[in-house]
Amino acid sequence: MTLSCFFGANSRPLQTPRDKLTRVGDARASSPQYDAIVIGSGPNGLAAAIVLAQAGKKVVVYEAQPTIGGGTRSAELTLPGFVHDVCSTAHPMAAASPFFRSLELEKFGLQWIQPGAPCAHPFDDGTAVIVERSLDATAAQFAEDQARIKKLFSPLVNSWDQLIDSLLAPVVRLPRHPFKMAGFGLHALQSATSLARKQFKTPRARAVFAGMAAHSIIPLEDRPSAAFGLMLWATCHSVGWPFAAGGSQKIADALSAKFRELGGEIISSRRVQSLDELPPTHSILCDVAPANLLRLAGNRLPRSEQRSLARFRLGPGVFKVDWALDAPVPWNAPECARAGTVHIGGTFEEIAESERAAAQGTVHDRPFVLLTQPSLFDPTRTPGGKHTAWAYCHVPNGSAADMLSRIEAQVERFATGFAKKIIGRSVRTPAALQANNENLIGGDIGGGSNDLWQFLFRPTRRYYSTSAKGVFLCSSSTPPGGGVHGMCGYHAAKKALKQF
């Protein structure tokens, strides 16, 4: 999300003639093999490649890993037959993405599974709030906050199809729905702490909002953490928080199948060390973190731009655990089994303390834990009768702290007997996450810090462009930021097409 979340944006298809071809690399080459090269096969890299191929360009994608997908990969991380998602599992923004919807990815094998409810938030008294697909059913659980929740979220939910283009747009433009977007912006530019205190009277409503806002991976006292809380809560009622049947890898597989249908080529296990090693081409789009762009681009960028990219601030890291389970998670509040995602953190104050600790370079004894339990709704992920779950908490960037016991204690707190269900586990520290995906520097899964300035201007005021002719950045470090939606790649490719 960018400033356009608050005031709107429009995106229109571009007509891109194929004449006036210039090249990155050997300018003397008369016939480059590819019109464009994309580095990285995450959702944004694949989205960029598809946009270019749709415009008639000959495109190749280079992927350093043997398997494509970036954050949308799946593997048997624990025991044979147990399919785990290497990074993300619940995909509200993929379901909401205007570009992904336009591709009709179901024709390429992608199937969305909607859990019985998008999200649950358990409490220490053995009860839970279940965020249902229905806003009315959700609001009814909040007693005196019922009317307030409906008033806050009804405009977003009722206008979702009209607003999503603006919420995932690149930069400020004249909005199609200025009054609706301005209304959202008045709330979204606040901190989650400020909004929760103003809008909600009950501790339960504040706690649920804290869980949503904590996806921002910034302190809840900081702006614009409220924007994440509002947007993610609204997605529960508009598009849900679905899983990809068979694992998140199926998203990458569908995108790659679409790309290949358009004539694109993907070369895996092809690590690019420098842009200078690439064949002549018109445009290079890099689905990489700003630090990796600096490594690739080298002296092509002026020192001032190198300094700007070097100042790009990373967000906290995550510590992730995947479990193979002998049975479902035994929630103290049984209704949590209806939810695909469970926010574990108790009160607003406790969640706020945990997120503040990660930003300040320490770890919390009771970390806020995000947990998904996909096998409850997708039995293809496990052998008969068994289950998977994963969870992570936020830690300081690059932290070496062992959070396993803390995470499992938090789950046990709300699911007595959980430890007895574990038959296998895979633990990934921030360093391990980065080793598996070079863009996750220090375990930062959000493409950089979401503090207000960087939220609006990421990674620099150039957004997708660089000073190097024909070189673009298309990763989650560009607008509209982190999440599996492909819109960073989409907007970067549209920018690149203007220069053909």
Side-chain angles (χ1 to χ4, degrees):
M1 296 186 297
T2 65
L3 186 60
S4 56
C5 296
F6 314 129
F7 303 108
N10 297 322
S11 297
R12 292 184 173 85
L14 299 174
Q15 300 299 320
T16 52
R18 295 196 57 172
D19 55 356
K20 300 191 294 184
L21 182 67
T22 58
R23 299 167 191 84
V24 177
D26 183 3
R28 295 169 298 177
S30 60
S31 180
Q33 183 178 2
Y34 302 107
D35 297 321
I37 295 171
V38 177
I39 301 174
S41 69
N44 286 310
L46 291 173
I50 290 170
V51 170
L52 294 166
Q54 286 176 325
K57 309 305 178 186
K58 188 174 182 181
V59 186
V60 64
V61 175
Y62 291 144
E63 169 56 49
Q65 297 294 328
T67 306
I68 66 167
T72 54
R73 284 181 286 167
S74 304
E76 294 182 343
L77 300 179
T78 58
L79 300 174
F82 288 77
V83 177
H84 302 271
D85 292 324
V86 173
C87 190
S88 56
T89 290
H91 295 291
M93 301 317 299
S97 169
F99 181 57
F100 283 179
R101 293 202 310 269
S102 74
L103 299 178
E104 299 181 315
L105 294 176
E106 64 276 7
K107 295 181 180 178
F108 302 93
L110 179 61
Q111 298 179 24
W112 291 119
I113 294 176
Q114 291 284 1
C119 185
H121 190 116
F123 295 93
D124 287 302
D125 62 0
T127 65
V129 167
I130 307 299
V131 183
E132 307 276 4
R133 288 296 303 274
S134 164
L135 176 58
D136 288 343
T138 301
Q141 300 173 66
F142 290 102
E144 61 181 296
D145 275 324
Q146 177 176 355
R148 294 182 179 91
I149 287 172
K150 292 177 68 173
K151 181 179 179 180
L152 181 62
F153 289 104
S154 288
L156 296 180
V157 176
N158 294 339
S159 303
W160 185 258
D161 289 340
Q162 300 168 329
L163 299 181
I164 187 59
D165 286 343
S166 296
L167 293 171
L168 292 178
V171 292
V172 181
R173 296 178 186 172
L174 182 66
R176 294 180 181 179
H177 310 282
F179 296 108
K180 293 175 181 177
M181 290 307 302
F184 174 71
L186 291 174
H187 295 304
L189 282 173
Q190 302 179 53
S191 71
T193 298
S194 175
L195 186 143
R197 288 174 176 170
K198 292 176 183 176
Q199 294 290 327
F200 307 129
K201 301 298 182 183
T202 63
R204 292 168 76 89
R206 291 177 178 176
V208 173
F209 187 72
M212 300 290 183
H215 285 258
S216 65
I217 324 182
I218 59 174
L220 301 192
E221 300 84 10
D222 291 357
R223 297 183 296 165
S225 53
F228 288 81
L230 290 167
M231 188 172 183
L232 283 171
W233 193 325
T235 59
C236 290
H237 310 304
S238 54
V239 297
W241 288 13
F243 303 147
S248 296
Q249 183 71 51
K250 300 299 183 181
I251 301 173
D253 291 347
L255 289 169
S256 65
K258 175 65 178 180
F259 175 54
R260 288 187 171 103
E261 182 188 64
L262 294 166
E265 182 180 355
I266 299 175
I267 302 176
S268 58
S269 298
R270 171 66 164 89
R271 184 178 302 278
V272 178
Q273 302 289 359
S274 168
L275 299 188
D276 293 337
E277 72 188 52
L278 298 177
T281 188
H282 183 285
S283 297
I284 301 172
L285 286 85
C286 303
D287 183 7
V288 302
N292 292 331
L293 178 65
L294 280 172
R295 173 179 58 81
L296 292 168
N299 294 328
R300 294 190 186 208
L301 303 176
R303 291 188 180 275
S304 59
E305 188 169 358
Q306 291 182 43
R307 288 193 295 269
S308 293
L309 290 169
R311 287 195 296 267
F312 185 77
R313 294 178 299 282
L314 297 171
V318 302
F319 185 104
K320 180 175 181 282
V321 187
D322 287 271
W323 295 287
L325 303 173
D326 195 40
V329 179
W331 299 107
N332 298 343
E335 58 269 34
C336 288
R338 293 185 51 245
T341 301
V342 183
H343 288 163
I344 300 172
T347 66
F348 184 101
E349 291 75 18
E350 184 179 332
I351 295 171
E353 288 176 7
S354 175
E355 297 309 290
R356 191 183 311 120
Q360 293 177 347
T362 61
V363 296
H364 199 269
D365 285 339
R366 284 186 161 188
F368 171 62
V369 172
L370 296 97
L371 180 147
T372 66
Q373 42 190 4
S375 61
L376 288 176
F377 314 97
D378 182 6
T380 68
R381 295 179 181 233
T382 58
K386 308 302 181 181
H387 287 276
T388 62
W390 70 244
Y392 68 74
C393 70
H394 301 142
V395 296
N397 189 277
S399 172
D402 185 353
M403 300 298 290
L404 175 61
S405 61
R406 293 180 176 93
I407 288 175
E408 292 189 347
Q410 281 287 74
V411 180
E412 187 81 22
R413 172 182 166 191
F414 297 100
T416 305
F418 168 70
K420 296 178 181 178
K421 309 299 182 184
I422 300 172
I423 56 176
R425 63 166 64 85
S426 168
V427 175
R428 296 208 171 190
T429 64
L433 289 168
Q434 181 176 343
N436 187 255
N437 184 338
E438 293 177 27
N439 284 342
L440 308 185
I441 299 176
D444 175 7
I445 63 172
S449 173
N450 288 310
D451 62 82
L452 185 59
W453 178 262
Q454 193 162 275
F455 180 71
L456 303 178
F457 303 102
R458 53 190 294 138
T460 69
R461 293 191 184 193
R462 287 183 175 272
Y463 296 108
Y464 315 98
S465 300
T466 72
S467 298
K469 184 175 179 59
V471 178
F472 301 86
L473 190 64
C474 65
S475 69
S476 61
S477 297
T478 64
V484 178
H485 45 65
M487 298 305 294
C488 306
Y490 172 86
H491 294 304
K494 290 293 187 182
K495 183 82 170 180
L497 285 171
K498 289 184 177 180
Q499 297 187 15
F500 271 85

PDB file of all heavy atoms in Angstrom, residues 72-103:
ATOM      1  N   THR A  72       6.266 -17.681  -2.630  1.00  0.00           N
ATOM      2  CA  THR A  72       5.146 -18.601  -2.875  1.00  0.00           C
ATOM      3  C   THR A  72       5.687 -19.959  -3.308  1.00  0.00           C
ATOM      4  O   THR A  72       5.396 -20.453  -4.393  1.00  0.00           O
ATOM      5  CB  THR A  72       4.183 -18.044  -3.940  1.00  0.00           C
ATOM      6  OG1 THR A  72       4.924 -17.715  -5.124  1.00  0.00           O
ATOM      7  CG2 THR A  72       3.474 -16.809  -3.433  1.00  0.00           C
ATOM      8  N   ARG A  73       6.475 -20.547  -2.422  1.00  0.00           N
ATOM      9  CA  ARG A  73       7.000 -21.883  -2.671  1.00  0.00           C
ATOM     10  C   ARG A  73       6.498 -22.828  -1.585  1.00  0.00           C
ATOM     11  O   ARG A  73       6.187 -22.421  -0.472  1.00  0.00           O
ATOM     12  CB  ARG A  73       8.534 -21.875  -2.680  1.00  0.00           C
ATOM     13  CG  ARG A  73       9.123 -21.307  -3.952  1.00  0.00           C
ATOM     14  CD  ARG A  73      10.631 -21.352  -3.931  1.00  0.00           C
ATOM     15  NE  ARG A  73      11.178 -20.327  -3.049  1.00  0.00           N
ATOM     16  CZ  ARG A  73      12.453 -20.300  -2.658  1.00  0.00           C
ATOM     17  NH1 ARG A  73      13.283 -21.270  -3.039  1.00  0.00           N
ATOM     18  NH2 ARG A  73      12.896 -19.337  -1.883  1.00  0.00           N
ATOM     19  N   SER A  74       6.449 -24.093  -1.909  1.00  0.00           N
ATOM     20  CA  SER A  74       6.034 -25.127  -0.963  1.00  0.00           C
ATOM     21  C   SER A  74       7.038 -26.268  -1.028  1.00  0.00           C
ATOM     22  O   SER A  74       7.649 -26.511  -2.064  1.00  0.00           O
ATOM     23  CB  SER A  74       4.625 -25.641  -1.284  1.00  0.00           C
ATOM     24  OG  SER A  74       3.684 -24.585  -1.316  1.00  0.00           O
ATOM     25  N   ALA A  75       7.197 -26.957   0.111  1.00  0.00           N
ATOM     26  CA  ALA A  75       8.158 -28.060   0.161  1.00  0.00           C
ATOM     27  C   ALA A  75       7.833 -28.954   1.354  1.00  0.00           C
ATOM     28  O   ALA A  75       7.104 -28.567   2.270  1.00  0.00           O
ATOM     29  CB  ALA A  75       9.584 -27.513   0.286  1.00  0.00           C
ATOM     30  N   GLU A  76       8.391 -30.155   1.342  1.00  0.00           N
ATOM     31  CA  GLU A  76       8.253 -31.073   2.472  1.00  0.00           C
ATOM     32  C   GLU A  76       9.320 -30.710   3.510  1.00  0.00           C
ATOM     33  O   GLU A  76      10.414 -31.285   3.544  1.00  0.00           O
ATOM     34  CB  GLU A  76       8.404 -32.521   1.998  1.00  0.00           C
ATOM     35  CG  GLU A  76       7.280 -32.974   1.069  1.00  0.00           C
ATOM     36  CD  GLU A  76       7.435 -34.435   0.643  1.00  0.00           C
ATOM     37  OE1 GLU A  76       8.545 -34.993   0.788  1.00  0.00           O
ATOM     38  OE2 GLU A  76       6.441 -35.011   0.163  1.00  0.00           O
ATOM     39  N   LEU A  77       8.995 -29.778   4.376  1.00  0.00           N
ATOM     40  CA  LEU A  77       9.984 -29.243   5.306  1.00  0.00           C
ATOM     41  C   LEU A  77      10.179 -30.105   6.541  1.00  0.00           C
ATOM     42  O   LEU A  77      11.209 -29.991   7.216  1.00  0.00           O
ATOM     43  CB  LEU A  77       9.573 -27.829   5.747  1.00  0.00           C
ATOM     44  CG  LEU A  77       9.450 -26.778   4.645  1.00  0.00           C
ATOM     45  CD1 LEU A  77       9.007 -25.441   5.236  1.00  0.00           C
ATOM     46  CD2 LEU A  77      10.773 -26.612   3.901  1.00  0.00           C
ATOM     47  N   THR A  78       9.192 -30.943   6.875  1.00  0.00           N
ATOM     48  CA  THR A  78       9.286 -31.719   8.107  1.00  0.00           C
ATOM     49  C   THR A  78       9.409 -33.208   7.821  1.00  0.00           C
ATOM     50  O   THR A  78      10.494 -33.776   7.923  1.00  0.00           O
ATOM     51  CB  THR A  78       8.061 -31.455   9.008  1.00  0.00           C
ATOM     52  OG1 THR A  78       6.855 -31.785   8.272  1.00  0.00           O
ATOM     53  CG2 THR A  78       8.009 -30.009   9.454  1.00  0.00           C
ATOM     54  N   LEU A  79       8.328 -33.837   7.406  1.00  0.00           N
ATOM     55  CA  LEU A  79       8.289 -35.276   7.161  1.00  0.00           C
ATOM     56  C   LEU A  79       7.804 -35.547   5.741  1.00  0.00           C
ATOM     57  O   LEU A  79       7.113 -34.711   5.154  1.00  0.00           O
ATOM     58  CB  LEU A  79       7.349 -35.958   8.167  1.00  0.00           C
ATOM     59  CG  LEU A  79       7.698 -35.803   9.652  1.00  0.00           C
ATOM     60  CD1 LEU A  79       6.590 -36.409  10.519  1.00  0.00           C
ATOM     61  CD2 LEU A  79       9.040 -36.447   9.969  1.00  0.00           C
ATOM     62  N   PRO A  80       8.147 -36.707   5.188  1.00  0.00           N
ATOM     63  CA  PRO A  80       7.662 -37.039   3.838  1.00  0.00           C
ATOM     64  C   PRO A  80       6.135 -36.995   3.771  1.00  0.00           C
ATOM     65  O   PRO A  80       5.440 -37.483   4.662  1.00  0.00           O
ATOM     66  CB  PRO A  80       8.191 -38.463   3.621  1.00  0.00           C
ATOM     67  CG  PRO A  80       9.386 -38.568   4.503  1.00  0.00           C
ATOM     68  CD  PRO A  80       9.051 -37.748   5.719  1.00  0.00           C
ATOM     69  N   GLY A  81       5.636 -36.362   2.716  1.00  0.00           N
ATOM     70  CA  GLY A  81       4.201 -36.290   2.510  1.00  0.00           C
ATOM     71  C   GLY A  81       3.529 -35.093   3.151  1.00  0.00           C
ATOM     72  O   GLY A  81       2.336 -34.854   2.931  1.00  0.00           O
ATOM     73  N   PHE A  82       4.265 -34.316   3.949  1.00  0.00           N
ATOM     74  CA  PHE A  82       3.717 -33.120   4.598  1.00  0.00           C
ATOM     75  C   PHE A  82       4.162 -31.893   3.800  1.00  0.00           C
ATOM     76  O   PHE A  82       5.348 -31.551   3.787  1.00  0.00           O
ATOM     77  CB  PHE A  82       4.200 -33.006   6.039  1.00  0.00           C
ATOM     78  CG  PHE A  82       3.587 -33.999   6.986  1.00  0.00           C
ATOM     79  CD1 PHE A  82       4.011 -35.321   7.002  1.00  0.00           C
ATOM     80  CD2 PHE A  82       2.573 -33.616   7.863  1.00  0.00           C
ATOM     81  CE1 PHE A  82       3.454 -36.247   7.875  1.00  0.00           C
ATOM     82  CE2 PHE A  82       2.006 -34.532   8.736  1.00  0.00           C
ATOM     83  CZ  PHE A  82       2.446 -35.849   8.747  1.00  0.00           C
ATOM     84  N   VAL A  83       3.212 -31.253   3.128  1.00  0.00           N
ATOM     85  CA  VAL A  83       3.519 -30.093   2.291  1.00  0.00           C
ATOM     86  C   VAL A  83       3.376 -28.826   3.122  1.00  0.00           C
ATOM     87  O   VAL A  83       2.307 -28.536   3.656  1.00  0.00           O
ATOM     88  CB  VAL A  83       2.587 -30.033   1.066  1.00  0.00           C
ATOM     89  CG1 VAL A  83       2.868 -28.782   0.244  1.00  0.00           C
ATOM     90  CG2 VAL A  83       2.760 -31.285   0.210  1.00  0.00           C
ATOM     91  N   HIS A  84       4.457 -28.073   3.219  1.00  0.00           N
ATOM     92  CA  HIS A  84       4.475 -26.821   3.966  1.00  0.00           C
ATOM     93  C   HIS A  84       4.759 -25.662   3.013  1.00  0.00           C
ATOM     94  O   HIS A  84       5.464 -25.826   2.016  1.00  0.00           O
ATOM     95  CB  HIS A  84       5.559 -26.852   5.047  1.00  0.00           C
ATOM     96  CG  HIS A  84       5.415 -27.961   6.027  1.00  0.00           C
ATOM     97  ND1 HIS A  84       4.673 -27.854   7.181  1.00  0.00           N
ATOM     98  CD2 HIS A  84       5.928 -29.222   6.028  1.00  0.00           C
ATOM     99  CE1 HIS A  84       4.743 -28.990   7.858  1.00  0.00           C
ATOM    100  NE2 HIS A  84       5.490 -29.840   7.183  1.00  0.00           N
ATOM    101  N   ASP A  85       4.243 -24.498   3.348  1.00  0.00           N
ATOM    102  CA  ASP A  85       4.556 -23.300   2.580  1.00  0.00           C
ATOM    103  C   ASP A  85       5.819 -22.660   3.155  1.00  0.00           C
ATOM    104  O   ASP A  85       5.893 -22.378   4.352  1.00  0.00           O
ATOM    105  CB  ASP A  85       3.389 -22.321   2.612  1.00  0.00           C
ATOM    106  CG  ASP A  85       2.191 -22.864   1.851  1.00  0.00           C
ATOM    107  OD1 ASP A  85       2.392 -23.526   0.828  1.00  0.00           O
ATOM    108  OD2 ASP A  85       1.049 -22.635   2.301  1.00  0.00           O
ATOM    109  N   VAL A  86       6.791 -22.437   2.304  1.00  0.00           N
ATOM    110  CA  VAL A  86       8.078 -21.930   2.746  1.00  0.00           C
ATOM    111  C   VAL A  86       7.942 -20.547   3.367  1.00  0.00           C
ATOM    112  O   VAL A  86       8.642 -20.212   4.315  1.00  0.00           O
ATOM    113  CB  VAL A  86       9.061 -21.909   1.561  1.00  0.00           C
ATOM    114  CG1 VAL A  86      10.362 -21.224   1.935  1.00  0.00           C
ATOM    115  CG2 VAL A  86       9.333 -23.336   1.088  1.00  0.00           C
ATOM    116  N   CYS A  87       7.031 -19.748   2.866  1.00  0.00           N
ATOM    117  CA  CYS A  87       6.821 -18.406   3.422  1.00  0.00           C
ATOM    118  C   CYS A  87       5.338 -18.203   3.717  1.00  0.00           C
ATOM    119  O   CYS A  87       4.860 -18.579   4.773  1.00  0.00           O
ATOM    120  CB  CYS A  87       7.362 -17.338   2.479  1.00  0.00           C
ATOM    121  SG  CYS A  87       7.403 -15.679   3.196  1.00  0.00           S
ATOM    122  N   SER A  88       4.596 -17.659   2.787  1.00  0.00           N
ATOM    123  CA  SER A  88       3.209 -17.268   3.060  1.00  0.00           C
ATOM    124  C   SER A  88       2.236 -18.396   2.745  1.00  0.00           C
ATOM    125  O   SER A  88       2.487 -19.253   1.906  1.00  0.00           O
ATOM    126  CB  SER A  88       2.847 -16.029   2.235  1.00  0.00           C
ATOM    127  OG  SER A  88       3.074 -16.273   0.859  1.00  0.00           O
ATOM    128  N   THR A  89       1.079 -18.368   3.440  1.00  0.00           N
ATOM    129  CA  THR A  89       0.023 -19.366   3.213  1.00  0.00           C
ATOM    130  C   THR A  89      -1.320 -18.714   2.940  1.00  0.00           C
ATOM    131  O   THR A  89      -1.996 -19.060   1.981  1.00  0.00           O
ATOM    132  CB  THR A  89      -0.095 -20.308   4.430  1.00  0.00           C
ATOM    133  OG1 THR A  89       1.073 -21.137   4.486  1.00  0.00           O
ATOM    134  CG2 THR A  89      -1.307 -21.217   4.313  1.00  0.00           C
ATOM    135  N   ALA A  90      -1.751 -17.796   3.802  1.00  0.00           N
ATOM    136  CA  ALA A  90      -3.025 -17.098   3.596  1.00  0.00           C
ATOM    137  C   ALA A  90      -2.795 -15.940   2.632  1.00  0.00           C
ATOM    138  O   ALA A  90      -1.851 -15.168   2.795  1.00  0.00           O
ATOM    139  CB  ALA A  90      -3.575 -16.594   4.927  1.00  0.00           C
ATOM    140  N   HIS A  91      -3.673 -15.803   1.636  1.00  0.00           N
ATOM    141  CA  HIS A  91      -3.407 -14.868   0.544  1.00  0.00           C
ATOM    142  C   HIS A  91      -4.582 -13.946   0.233  1.00  0.00           C
ATOM    143  O   HIS A  91      -5.148 -13.985  -0.869  1.00  0.00           O
ATOM    144  CB  HIS A  91      -3.015 -15.651  -0.707  1.00  0.00           C
ATOM    145  CG  HIS A  91      -1.733 -16.391  -0.572  1.00  0.00           C
ATOM    146  ND1 HIS A  91      -0.511 -15.762  -0.480  1.00  0.00           N
ATOM    147  CD2 HIS A  91      -1.468 -17.723  -0.480  1.00  0.00           C
ATOM    148  CE1 HIS A  91       0.444 -16.661  -0.360  1.00  0.00           C
ATOM    149  NE2 HIS A  91      -0.108 -17.862  -0.351  1.00  0.00           N
ATOM    150  N   PRO A  92      -4.951 -13.083   1.178  1.00  0.00           N
ATOM    151  CA  PRO A  92      -6.034 -12.143   0.873  1.00  0.00           C
ATOM    152  C   PRO A  92      -5.691 -11.184  -0.259  1.00  0.00           C
ATOM    153  O   PRO A  92      -6.543 -10.869  -1.092  1.00  0.00           O
ATOM    154  CB  PRO A  92      -6.244 -11.401   2.198  1.00  0.00           C
ATOM    155  CG  PRO A  92      -4.973 -11.575   2.960  1.00  0.00           C
ATOM    156  CD  PRO A  92      -4.464 -12.928   2.567  1.00  0.00           C
ATOM    157  N   MET A  93      -4.439 -10.734  -0.315  1.00  0.00           N
ATOM    158  CA  MET A  93      -4.097  -9.766  -1.347  1.00  0.00           C
ATOM    159  C   MET A  93      -3.961 -10.411  -2.719  1.00  0.00           C
ATOM    160  O   MET A  93      -4.173  -9.755  -3.735  1.00  0.00           O
ATOM    161  CB  MET A  93      -2.811  -9.027  -0.967  1.00  0.00           C
ATOM    162  CG  MET A  93      -2.897  -8.286   0.361  1.00  0.00           C
ATOM    163  SD  MET A  93      -4.454  -7.390   0.596  1.00  0.00           S
ATOM    164  CE  MET A  93      -4.419  -6.237  -0.750  1.00  0.00           C
ATOM    165  N   ALA A  94      -3.614 -11.685  -2.763  1.00  0.00           N
ATOM    166  CA  ALA A  94      -3.605 -12.373  -4.054  1.00  0.00           C
ATOM    167  C   ALA A  94      -5.015 -12.500  -4.596  1.00  0.00           C
ATOM    168  O   ALA A  94      -5.265 -12.319  -5.792  1.00  0.00           O
ATOM    169  CB  ALA A  94      -2.959 -13.750  -3.910  1.00  0.00           C
ATOM    170  N   ALA A  95      -5.956 -12.815  -3.698  1.00  0.00           N
ATOM    171  CA  ALA A  95      -7.349 -12.911  -4.122  1.00  0.00           C
ATOM    172  C   ALA A  95      -7.910 -11.554  -4.517  1.00  0.00           C
ATOM    173  O   ALA A  95      -8.798 -11.459  -5.362  1.00  0.00           O
ATOM    174  CB  ALA A  95      -8.189 -13.524  -3.004  1.00  0.00           C
ATOM    175  N   ALA A  96      -7.376 -10.495  -3.885  1.00  0.00           N
ATOM    176  CA  ALA A  96      -7.873  -9.146  -4.172  1.00  0.00           C
ATOM    177  C   ALA A  96      -7.194  -8.500  -5.368  1.00  0.00           C
ATOM    178  O   ALA A  96      -7.729  -7.551  -5.948  1.00  0.00           O
ATOM    179  CB  ALA A  96      -7.666  -8.251  -2.939  1.00  0.00           C
ATOM    180  N   SER A  97      -6.024  -8.980  -5.754  1.00  0.00           N
ATOM    181  CA  SER A  97      -5.210  -8.331  -6.768  1.00  0.00           C
ATOM    182  C   SER A  97      -5.963  -8.156  -8.089  1.00  0.00           C
ATOM    183  O   SER A  97      -6.371  -9.137  -8.724  1.00  0.00           O
ATOM    184  CB  SER A  97      -3.952  -9.171  -7.026  1.00  0.00           C
ATOM    185  OG  SER A  97      -3.259  -8.707  -8.171  1.00  0.00           O
ATOM    186  N   PRO A  98      -6.131  -6.933  -8.557  1.00  0.00           N
ATOM    187  CA  PRO A  98      -6.795  -6.728  -9.852  1.00  0.00           C
ATOM    188  C   PRO A  98      -6.054  -7.412 -10.999  1.00  0.00           C
ATOM    189  O   PRO A  98      -6.690  -7.946 -11.908  1.00  0.00           O
ATOM    190  CB  PRO A  98      -6.787  -5.202 -10.010  1.00  0.00           C
ATOM    191  CG  PRO A  98      -6.638  -4.666  -8.629  1.00  0.00           C
ATOM    192  CD  PRO A  98      -5.792  -5.655  -7.899  1.00  0.00           C
ATOM    193  N   PHE A  99      -4.724  -7.413 -10.946  1.00  0.00           N
ATOM    194  CA  PHE A  99      -3.971  -8.026 -12.028  1.00  0.00           C
ATOM    195  C   PHE A  99      -4.114  -9.539 -12.011  1.00  0.00           C
ATOM    196  O   PHE A  99      -4.379 -10.161 -13.050  1.00  0.00           O
ATOM    197  CB  PHE A  99      -2.500  -7.634 -11.946  1.00  0.00           C
ATOM    198  CG  PHE A  99      -1.666  -8.218 -13.051  1.00  0.00           C
ATOM    199  CD1 PHE A  99      -1.989  -7.972 -14.376  1.00  0.00           C
ATOM    200  CD2 PHE A  99      -0.578  -9.018 -12.769  1.00  0.00           C
ATOM    201  CE1 PHE A  99      -1.233  -8.513 -15.411  1.00  0.00           C
ATOM    202  CE2 PHE A  99       0.187  -9.561 -13.789  1.00  0.00           C
ATOM    203  CZ  PHE A  99      -0.143  -9.315 -15.110  1.00  0.00           C
ATOM    204  N   PHE A 100      -3.970 -10.150 -10.858  1.00  0.00           N
ATOM    205  CA  PHE A 100      -4.123 -11.599 -10.794  1.00  0.00           C
ATOM    206  C   PHE A 100      -5.517 -12.023 -11.241  1.00  0.00           C
ATOM    207  O   PHE A 100      -5.677 -13.030 -11.936  1.00  0.00           O
ATOM    208  CB  PHE A 100      -3.863 -12.098  -9.377  1.00  0.00           C
ATOM    209  CG  PHE A 100      -2.401 -12.151  -8.991  1.00  0.00           C
ATOM    210  CD1 PHE A 100      -2.023 -12.564  -7.726  1.00  0.00           C
ATOM    211  CD2 PHE A 100      -1.406 -11.792  -9.887  1.00  0.00           C
ATOM    212  CE1 PHE A 100      -0.680 -12.614  -7.359  1.00  0.00           C
ATOM    213  CE2 PHE A 100      -0.064 -11.843  -9.538  1.00  0.00           C
ATOM    214  CZ  PHE A 100       0.298 -12.254  -8.269  1.00  0.00           C
ATOM    215  N   ARG A 101      -6.524 -11.267 -10.844  1.00  0.00           N
ATOM    216  CA  ARG A 101      -7.891 -11.629 -11.251  1.00  0.00           C
ATOM    217  C   ARG A 101      -8.044 -11.562 -12.761  1.00  0.00           C
ATOM    218  O   ARG A 101      -8.763 -12.358 -13.363  1.00  0.00           O
ATOM    219  CB  ARG A 101      -8.911 -10.707 -10.572  1.00  0.00           C
ATOM    220  CG  ARG A 101      -9.012 -10.868  -9.073  1.00  0.00           C
ATOM    221  CD  ARG A 101     -10.356 -10.365  -8.544  1.00  0.00           C
ATOM    222  NE  ARG A 101     -10.693  -9.043  -9.019  1.00  0.00           N
ATOM    223  CZ  ARG A 101     -10.374  -7.916  -8.389  1.00  0.00           C
ATOM    224  NH1 ARG A 101      -9.680  -7.961  -7.265  1.00  0.00           N
ATOM    225  NH2 ARG A 101     -10.741  -6.743  -8.876  1.00  0.00           N
ATOM    226  N   SER A 102      -7.358 -10.618 -13.386  1.00  0.00           N
ATOM    227  CA  SER A 102      -7.487 -10.467 -14.842  1.00  0.00           C
ATOM    228  C   SER A 102      -6.850 -11.633 -15.603  1.00  0.00           C
ATOM    229  O   SER A 102      -7.169 -11.852 -16.770  1.00  0.00           O
ATOM    230  CB  SER A 102      -6.834  -9.149 -15.293  1.00  0.00           C
ATOM    231  OG  SER A 102      -5.407  -9.236 -15.259  1.00  0.00           O
ATOM    232  N   LEU A 103      -5.966 -12.380 -14.957  1.00  0.00           N
ATOM    233  CA  LEU A 103      -5.240 -13.450 -15.639  1.00  0.00           C
ATOM    234  C   LEU A 103      -6.009 -14.759 -15.697  1.00  0.00           C
ATOM    235  O   LEU A 103      -5.600 -15.680 -16.406  1.00  0.00           O
ATOM    236  CB  LEU A 103      -3.889 -13.692 -14.948  1.00  0.00           C
ATOM    237  CG  LEU A 103      -2.911 -12.515 -14.935  1.00  0.00           C
ATOM    238  CD1 LEU A 103      -1.647 -12.893 -14.171  1.00  0.00           C
ATOM    239  CD2 LEU A 103      -2.566 -12.076 -16.349  1.00  0.00           C
TER     240      LEU A 103
END
